[in-house]
C-alpha cells in the first residue's frame, strides 16, 4: 500500500497516512488538534475541516451534521472522512487556545499562604504552610570511635535538630548505596520527607550532597476535556507557572461515558492511561522549560479529577462506574509512585489523588469544597459545578450532602450549533434590546462562536425581551432577527459580515431547548437536595459557582433563566477553577490535604437515579425560570416591569 | 582449552572444569561443600581433600598446613590446588550434617504461644499472639443502588466488622484489577494485613476468593557459618519444620571479616547477597516441600543476623563496618519486599530484619535478649554468645549495655588441629583421669574430631589433673599420653585405632593457647563491662549462654577454665539458638517485634577498642582460670582438694 501525504493547514505540517485512515486519527496520531466532542463517533459534528486539495471518502451518514453551504465549501467531518489513494490538503479551523481559559480563572484558595500568586519571597512558616514534600539539607559530623552510630542514625540525629519529625519512617531504597554516597559527598546529604498525613512523614530519598536548592510540586486539575497543571516551588509556595491543554484522551471520546466505554474495550484502558500521562508529562515539561528547572526537581504531584479521570490516571478499571449501581474501585487512593505511573519526575516522587465521594462526585468537587471552605462555616452554603455533569454540594461545618445530575454539554458549547468553549474569539457577553444585539468576544476580535456565559445571557435577554416564551419557543417567527434554516428557527446574534468565519453566529430553537434541559437538571438537583433536608433556596447563605463560566457569567441572567436560585447577588460567588485551587492547597499544606480527606469522608452522596422525585423536579424546571414562578420573585418582578415598560 | 572432568567422592558426582581452576572453586560452583574457614585464602588449612586419581598443581606455599603423613596420603588443600590438563578424582571428607546441631538446640521463647512446639491446634487469641502478617477472608454483600459504596470501602466495612483495624493503610498495588477480581470471585476476597508496628497495619494484598486457608511465615537465623530457617503456620503459631545448612557465602570467606573484604571487591557484594538469598531459598523450598505447601503461602520473613550478615542480605555495603570507626549503614531496617530481595514467596511478602545495635552487636543478639527476657527482669542478667566474636549483654529492665570481643574461632573448631563443629562424629564430652581418657561422640560412633564443649572439658580436665599449668603448658613432656609432632606437644584423646579417620584425635599446646585466648577475650569483656558499671560477677543473677555449645557444655568445666564466671550453677542457663527463637517470637507477635526494637534502642554499645583497659583485662585473663584466682573461689577450692587428693 503506498504511503500517502496529508498536509494540515494553517500549521502547514505534512504527515504520512494510509488509504482508509480517518483524518481525525491521522491528526490525533500526529498531535494535531481537531476540536471534537464525541471522540470520533460522528455525532457531535464539531470536527469540521475543509478539504482544500485532493479527493477523500466522506461517509454519507454524517452529512446531515453539515449544512448545505458547508458542504458546498468543501467542509467534511474529520472523523467520517477517510483517505482514498491520493495526497490531500486539509484546513483545520484554529483550535481554541485553552490557556486563556484557565489562566484567568484560577481561584485563590484560603489555604494559600499569603504571598502565593505574589512575588517569590520566602514565606514565614505558617501553620498551614507545610508542603507534602520537603527537602532538608543535613551536614553530618564525621564519625569517630567516640561517635560511631550508624549512618542512618547520624542522619536521624541531625534531622531531629532541624525538625520536629523525630521518627520519620525511611524507605528501604534510601539505604542502598547510602554508605558510599555519604562519604563521596563529604557527609552532606539531602533528605526528602513526604507526608501522607501530618503526623506521619516518611523519608523517601537520601541524596548525597545538597539538592535542596530546588523542590517543585505540581497541582493538576484533570478534567475530562481540559487538563491544567500548576508548577509550584515547594520551598516558598510560589507559583512558577500554570498551563492547560486538552486532555489527549479526548481522541477516544469526549465525555466520561464514552471514555469508560472505550476503557473497557481491549487495551482501551492502557491507551487512556497512557494518554493522560502523556498529557500531564507534556504540560509539566513545558512548565519546567519555562521555569528553567529539571525533571528531577519535581518530587510531588497532587491531582484533582472526577472519579473516572482519577481511575483512568491510576490504571483502575472504570467499567463498573458506568453501569448501575455505579461502583468505583475506590474513592480514596493511597499515594502512588510517579515512576510507577510513568510520570516524568524525581524517581521517588509521589502522586496523591484527592479523594472522591462516589462514582459521579469526584476529587475535583472535594477540591472545590476545600477551596471555598464551605465545610468550615456554620451557615449553609452550596457549591455548584456546572459541566456535562452538574455536581452540587450543600452543607456547612456540621454536614455535607452532594449529588450529580447529568446536565449535558450545552453550557460547554456541546450540542449547540455555534457553541464554543470560553476561549479567544468566543462571544462571552450578550445584550439584546428592541433596537440591537450587542456582543463582546474574548480577546475583543471578531466572534467565531458563543460560549456558556453568553448562552445564558442570550437566553435571559430573549426571555426578558419576550422574544421567547417560558418554554423557550420563539414567540414571533416573523421577527426580522430570526432566520429559519432547515425548518428550525434561529436568532442571529452576529451576521456573517461581522464574524471571523464569515458565517453568522446564531442560537437555534433546538439550542435553547438543550440549554433549558441543562439548567433544569442542575436546578432540579439542587432543589431536591434542599427539599430532602427540609430547606429551601433562601436558606443558602453562600452559593459558590465553580468551573469554566468564571467571572464572565452574569448572575442576574443566570437567575433569570432559573440556572441559579433567586438570591441576593452578594450571596453568589464565582470561584473559577476550584479543582486546581484545591489541589494546590493540598500540595502546599498537609493540613489542607488532611482536610480534603475529611471532606470526602463527610460528604453524604445522594443518588438521584434512586429517587423518582427527581424526574418530577426536572420536568418542573423545564420552564423559564421555573414552573413555580414564586421561587423566582425578582424575575417575576422584572418581567412584570418589562411588560409594563412594553 | 579442553574441558576437563573432576569426580568428587564419596558423592560420585562428575563435573566439568578448566585448566587452572582451583578445586575449591570447582566444588563451590557445583554446590559441593568442602569445609573451609578462610574462604580459599590458604590459611585455615581446613579444605583438605585427597587426590585419588590424576595429576594436579599444588601450590607449595600452603604445604606447611599439612603434615607429612597427609602429604604422603595424597592430601592437598582444595583452595591451593589447580587443575592441570587431565581429569582427576577427588575424595572429600564428609561434610558435617548441620541439622543435628540446630534441631536440638532451639530455645522456647517466652513469647511463644502456649502450644508452640506442640500439636497444631488453633490457638486462643492471646494478647501476645498476633503474627506480623494475617489473612482475613471477607465475604462482601453485592452492591446495589441503595448500597453503592466503592469496592474498597466495602472491603473496609467488612474488615471493621471482623477486626479492630479500622483504618489500615492499603497499598496502591491492591487496587489494580480489584474491580474485576471481586466480581469474578463472587464478592469473596482475602485481605492480607501486615504489621510493622502494633498500631499501624497495612493491607498489602487483596486476593479474589478464599486464600486464607494457608498463611506461612519463616523465622531465620542468618549466621556467618550456618543458616537456620523455621517454617511457622501464622494462623496457629505451629512450627511446621526447621532446617539448617551452611551459609553458601562461606565459599567466599569463613568469617565476617573475610566476607566484608570480599564484598568490597568488584561484584563481591552482589555475589554474597545472591549466595545468602539462594541459601534461604533452598531452606524454604525444602521446608515447604515437607509441609506440602506452596511458595505463595509464605507472606512474611523475620531475620536475625549479625550486622554484617544483615547488611549483605539487604544488599547494603558492609565495607565501613570493617574499618575504624566501624560504621554500619543502619542498625534498624525498614521492612523490604521479599520480591525485591529476590526471595521466593508470595509476591507481596515482607522481610523484617531484627534491629542491630552496632557494627559488632547484631540482630542475633537483639533476638537473644528478646528470647531470654533479661530486659524484663529487675535483677541483673548477662547474655553471652560465644562465637568468632563473643558478644556480651549485661543489664535488666532499666538498662542494657553490650560489647563485642574478637574471640577467634577456637570454640567453633577453627585454628584447632582436630577441631570440628558440634556435629555427628565430633567428641562433645571428655573426661580425663589419671587412669584413662573417656570421650563421647555426637551420634555415638567413632570420633572424627572434637567440638567446642569437649575442648572446654579437655582444658578443664587437663588443668584439674595438673597435666597443664595455669598458662596452658604441659607440665611433664614425658607423659605417655603425649606425643610431639614437629616440635609441638599434643595430648592424645583418642588413638588412631579408635577414630573414624584412622588418625588420632589430639589437642596440641598451640590449640590450648588459642582456646585460652578465646576464653580470655570473652571473660575480659564481661569483667570490663561490669567494672565500668561498678559491679562484679557476683551481682549477676542470671547468665544466659547462647549459641552452638548447647546442653553439652559442662558448666563447671567452663568455670574451671575461666570462660564463665564462678557463680552457682543454677544461675547459668543455656538457651541454645536464641537468635532463631527471638526471630520466631517477633514473627508471631507484633508485641515481641516492637519489644525487639526497644531492646536494640535501649542497648548502650561499649566499644572495647576505644578502651585500653581491655588489653589489661585480657592479659589478666590469659591464665587458667584467671590471674586473680580469688575471682574463682570454687575453682581454687577444687584445685586445693585435687592437690590434697594427689
Amino acid at each position: 500500500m503506498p504511503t500517502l501525504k496529508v498536509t494540515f493547514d494553517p500549521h502547514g505540517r505534512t504527515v504520512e497516512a494510509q488509504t482508509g485512515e480517518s483524518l481525525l486519527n491521522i491528526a490525533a496520531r500526529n498531535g494535531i488538534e481537531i476540536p471534537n466532542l464525541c471522540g470520533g463517533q460522528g455525532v457531535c459534528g464539531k470536527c469540521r475541516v475543509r478539504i482544500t486539495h485532493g479527493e477523500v471518502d466522506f461517509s454519507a451518514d454524517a452529512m446531515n451534521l453539515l449544512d448545505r453551504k458547508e458542504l458546498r465549501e468543501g467542509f467534511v467531518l474529520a472523523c467520517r472522512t477517510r483517505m482514498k489513494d491520493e495526497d490531500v490538503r486539509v484546513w483545520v479551523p484554529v483550535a481554541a487556545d485553552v490557556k486563556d481559559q484557565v489562566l484567568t480563572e484560577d481561584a485563590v484558595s484560603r489555604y494559600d499562604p499569603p504571598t502565593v500568586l505574589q512575588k517569590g519571597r520566602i514565606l514565614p512558616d505558617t501553620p498551614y504552610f507545610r508542603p507534602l514534600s520537603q527537602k532538608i539539607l543535613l551536614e553530618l559530623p564525621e564519625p569517630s570511635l567516640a561517635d560511631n552510630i550508624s549512618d542512618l542514625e547520624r542522619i536521624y540525629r541531625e534531622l531531629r535538630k532541624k525538625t520536629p519529625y523525630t521518627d520519620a519512617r525511611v524507605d528501604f531504597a534510601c539505604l542502598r548505596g547510602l554508605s558510599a554516597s555519604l562519604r563521596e559527598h563529604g557527609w552532606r546529604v539531602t533528605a526528602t520527607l513526604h507526608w501522607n498525613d501530618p503526623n506521619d512523614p516518611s523519608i523517601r530519598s537520601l541524596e548525597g550532597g545538597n539538592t535542596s536548592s530546588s523542590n517543585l510540586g505540581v497541582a493538576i486539575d484533570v478534567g475530562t476535556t481540559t487538563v491544567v497543571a500548576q508548577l509550584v516551588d515547594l520551598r516558598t509556595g510560589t507559583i512558577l507557572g500554570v498551563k492547560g491543554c486538552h486532555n489527549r484522551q479526548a481522541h477516544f471520546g469526549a465525555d466520561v461515558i464514552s471514555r469508560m466505554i472505550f476503557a473497557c474495550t481491549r487495551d482501551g484502558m492502557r491507551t487512556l492511561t497512557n494518554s493522560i500521562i502523556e498529557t500531564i508529562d507534556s504540560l509539566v515539561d513545558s512548565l519546567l522549560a519555562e521555569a528553567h528547572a529539571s525533571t528531577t526537581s519535581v518530587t510531588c504531584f497532587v491531582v484533582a479529577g472526577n472519579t473516572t479521570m482519577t481511575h483512568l490516571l491510576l490504571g483502575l478499571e472504570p467499567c463498573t462506574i458506568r453501569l448501575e449501581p455505579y461502583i468505583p474501585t475506590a474513592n480514596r487512593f493511597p499515594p502512588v509512585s510517579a515512576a510507577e505511573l510513568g510520570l516524568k519526575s524525581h524517581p521517588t516522587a509521589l502522586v496523591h489523588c484527592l479523594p472522591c465521594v462516589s462514582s459521579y462526585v469526584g476529587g475535583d468537587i472535594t477540591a472545590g469544597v476545600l477551596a471555598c471552605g464551605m465545610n468550615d462555616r456554620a451557615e449553609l452554603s452550596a457549591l455548584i459545578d456546572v459541566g456535562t455533569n452538574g455536581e452540587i454540594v450543600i452543607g456547612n461545618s456540621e454536614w455535607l450532602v452532594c449529588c450529580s445530575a447529568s446536565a449535558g454539554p450545552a453550557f460547554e458549547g456541546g450540542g449547540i450549533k455555534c457553541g464554543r468553549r470560553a476561549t479567544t474569539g468566543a462571544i462571552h457577553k450578550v445584550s439584546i434590546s428592541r433596537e440591537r444585539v450587542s456582543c463582546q468576544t474574548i480577546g475583543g476580535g471578531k466572534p467565531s462562536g458563543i460560549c456558556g456565559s453568553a448562552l445564558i445571557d442570550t437566553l435571559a435577554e430573549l426571555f426578558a425581551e419576550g422574544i421567547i416564551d417560558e418554554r423557550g419557543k420563539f414567540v414571533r417567527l416573523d421577527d426580522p432577527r430570526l432566520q429559519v434554516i432547515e425548518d428550525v428557527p434561529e436568532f442571529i446574534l452576529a451576521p456573517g459580515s461581522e464574524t471571523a468565519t464569515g458565517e453568522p453566529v446564531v442560537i437555534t430553537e433546538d439550542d435553547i431547548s438543550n440549554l433549558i434541559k441543562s439548567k433544569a437538571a442542575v436546578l432540579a438537583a439542587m432543589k431536591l437536595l434542599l427539599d430532602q433536608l427540609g430547606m429551601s433556596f433562601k436558606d443558602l447563605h453562600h452559593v459558590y459557582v465553580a468551573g469554566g463560566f468564571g467571572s464572565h457569567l452574569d448572575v442576574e441572567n443566570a437567575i433569570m433563566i432559573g440556572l441559579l436560585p433567586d438570591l441576593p447577588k452578594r450571596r453568589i460567588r464565582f470561584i473559577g477553577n476550584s479543582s486546581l485551587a484545591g489541589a494546590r492547597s493540598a500540595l502546599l499544606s498537609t493540613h489542607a490535604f488532611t482536610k480534603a480527606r475529611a471532606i470526602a469522608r463527610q460528604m453524604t452522596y445522594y443518588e438521584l437515579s434512586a429517587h423518582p422525585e427527581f424526574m418530577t423536579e426536572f420536568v418542573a424546571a423545564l420552564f423559564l425560570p421555573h414552573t413555580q414562578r414564586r421561587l423566582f420573585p425578582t424575575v417575576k418582578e422584572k418581567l412584570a416591569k418589562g411588560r409594563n415598560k412594553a
Side-chain angles (χ1 to χ4, degrees), chain A residues 97 114 195 249 267 345 371 456 566 572 630 644:
Chain A
D97 184 355
W195 276 264
Q249 291 179 338
D267 281 340
S345 59
I456 290 166
D566 195 350
I572 295 168
R630 64 169 175 76
N644 288 348

Side-chain angles (χ1 to χ4, degrees), chain A residues 156 169-171 250 328 414 555:
Chain A
Y156 272 106
R169 279 172 295 130
V170 62
D171 273 24
V555 177

Side-chain angles (χ1 to χ4, degrees), chain A residues 475-517:
Chain A
V475 176
R476 291 178 51 193
L477 287 182
D478 58 353
D479 188 315
R481 291 166 297 186
L482 289 190
Q483 64 182 17
V484 179
I485 302 290
E486 287 165 21
D487 295 336
V488 180
E490 50 187 44
F491 186 88
I492 301 167
L493 291 164
S497 58
E498 294 173 11
T499 66
T501 57
E503 295 296 311
V505 175
V506 302
I507 188 163
T508 73
E509 209 170 67
D510 290 350
D511 292 344
I512 293 168
S513 166
N514 283 338
L515 288 163
I516 291 178
K517 280 181 205 150

Side-chain angles (χ1 to χ4, degrees), chain A residues 200-266:
Chain A
D200 186 19
S202 70
I203 303 172
R204 281 184 62 80
S205 139
L206 290 171
E207 288 173 313
N210 182 3
T211 68
S212 71
S213 60
S214 164
N215 187 22
L216 305 180
V218 184
I220 309 173
D221 161 41
V222 178
T224 308
T225 310
T226 306
V227 180
V228 187
Q230 212 169 40
L231 187 68
V232 182
D233 187 332
L234 297 180
R235 297 168 313 152
T236 61
T238 316
I239 292 173
L240 301 178
V242 57
K243 280 189 186 287
C245 67
H246 291 118
N247 186 336
R248 292 190 192 174
Q249 291 179 338
H251 296 316
F252 311 100
D255 53 37
V256 282
I257 300 296
S258 50
R259 300 276 169 88
M260 283 192 264
I261 293 170
F262 186 85
C264 302
T265 59
R266 200 178 128 79

Side-chain angles (χ1 to χ4, degrees), chain A residues 97-113:
Chain A
D97 184 355
V98 81
K99 205 160 57 176
D100 304 338
Q101 180 184 355
V102 300
L103 286 182
T104 54
E105 298 180 20
D106 175 32
V108 178
S109 154
R110 76 209 173 83
Y111 285 106
D112 287 333

Side-chain angles (χ1 to χ4, degrees), chain A residues 58-135:
Chain A
F58 181 48
S59 159
D61 65 353
M63 292 279 200
N64 60 346
L65 289 165
L66 297 168
D67 61 30
R68 273 168 236 141
K69 184 157 169 282
E70 285 172 328
L71 289 172
R72 212 163 46 229
E73 287 175 352
F75 274 94
V76 294
L77 295 187
C79 69
R80 297 286 112 173
T81 304
R82 293 176 185 282
M83 295 297 287
K84 287 176 82 164
D85 46 10
E86 54 181 271
D87 296 349
V88 297
R89 190 152 196 132
V90 179
W91 185 82
V92 183
V94 181
D97 184 355
V98 81
K99 205 160 57 176
D100 304 338
Q101 180 184 355
V102 300
L103 286 182
T104 54
E105 298 180 20
D106 175 32
V108 178
S109 154
R110 76 209 173 83
Y111 285 106
D112 287 333
T115 54
V116 158
L117 293 174
Q118 296 175 18
K119 293 163 215 119
R121 281 181 292 127
I122 302 285
L123 286 164
D125 195 22
T126 68
Y128 283 159
F129 182 67
R130 193 170 68 196
L132 293 192
S133 99
Q134 190 179 345
K135 284 186 179 180

